[in-house]
Amino acid sequence: MKQPSEMSEREYFACVGQRPGVFVGRTSFHALTAFLIGYDQHAIRSGGSGLSGWSEWLVDRRGRDCKHAWPGQVLHMALPNGWDSVAELSDVDEQQAIAVLFQLLDEFAAERELSDKAGMGQPTETQPRR
């Protein structure tokens, strides 16, 4: 297994998503969003891009904005019929929210990888080889 420092951002998110309890203890949607907010802040302070563009990507993906920060956007997509208490999700809602969170993170990271490759002049699926 690769060390976290050797992983792409997408690989790292997949690693966290496969075994979230290793990273946050008791696995919950809120613990994982707090972990990701910390990840983002550390990356930015270290000169990385962190999750920059993530909130805007979620709004575009959902097709509308709301008064919630990005965790709320994820919940809207994961639980389109709403939820009783944002502080205490049911076990079923918790599992669904976590699954959707990591699915969305993977899609976001994949798009960013393609964009980074395109920006560096490397061929992508949408950019023909020269």
Side-chain angles (χ1 to χ4, degrees), residues 54 57-58 61 73-75 77-78 99-110:
W54 169 239
W57 185 88
L58 288 169
R61 177 66 186 262
Q73 289 286 352
V74 172
L75 286 176
M77 288 185 266
V100 170
L101 170 64
F102 284 99
Q103 175 189 342
L104 292 168
L105 271 172
D106 184 63
E107 293 172 17
F108 172 74

Side-chain angles (χ1 to χ4, degrees), residues 21 31 35 39 83 86 96:
F35 174 83
Y39 169 89
W83 52 89
V86 74
Q96 177 67 15

Side-chain angles (χ1 to χ4, degrees), residues 2-129:
K2 287 183 182 179
Q3 293 297 314
S5 61
E6 299 169 340
M7 294 178 186
S8 70
E9 194 167 62
R10 188 175 182 196
E11 291 171 321
Y12 181 72
F13 292 150
C15 182
V16 174
Q18 289 167 0
R19 299 186 66 203
V22 170
F23 295 88
V24 298
R26 182 180 175 278
T27 303
S28 73
F29 178 76
H30 295 295
L32 288 163
T33 59
F35 174 83
L36 291 167
I37 290 167
Y39 169 89
D40 178 51
Q41 292 302 301
H42 174 74
I44 291 168
R45 288 185 47 83
S46 300
S49 59
L51 294 174
S52 62
W54 169 239
S55 292
E56 296 81 6
W57 185 88
L58 288 169
V59 169
D60 287 346
R61 177 66 186 262
R62 183 171 174 237
R64 65 181 188 191
D65 201 354
C66 69
K67 62 183 176 184
H68 297 114
W70 71 258
Q73 289 286 352
V74 172
L75 286 176
H76 280 299
M77 288 185 266
L79 309 170
N81 294 325
W83 52 89
D84 292 330
S85 169
V86 74
E88 293 183 30
L89 298 172
S90 72
D91 289 343
V92 171
D93 287 352
E94 191 91 52
Q95 294 292 325
Q96 177 67 15
I98 291 168
V100 170
L101 170 64
F102 284 99
Q103 175 189 342
L104 292 168
L105 271 172
D106 184 63
E107 293 172 17
F108 172 74
E111 286 182 26
R112 186 152 50 178
E113 282 179 3
L114 281 174
S115 177
D116 289 348
K117 285 180 184 177
M120 294 174 30
Q122 296 179 9
T124 65
E125 293 175 17
T126 59
Q127 185 180 26
R129 292 187 181 270

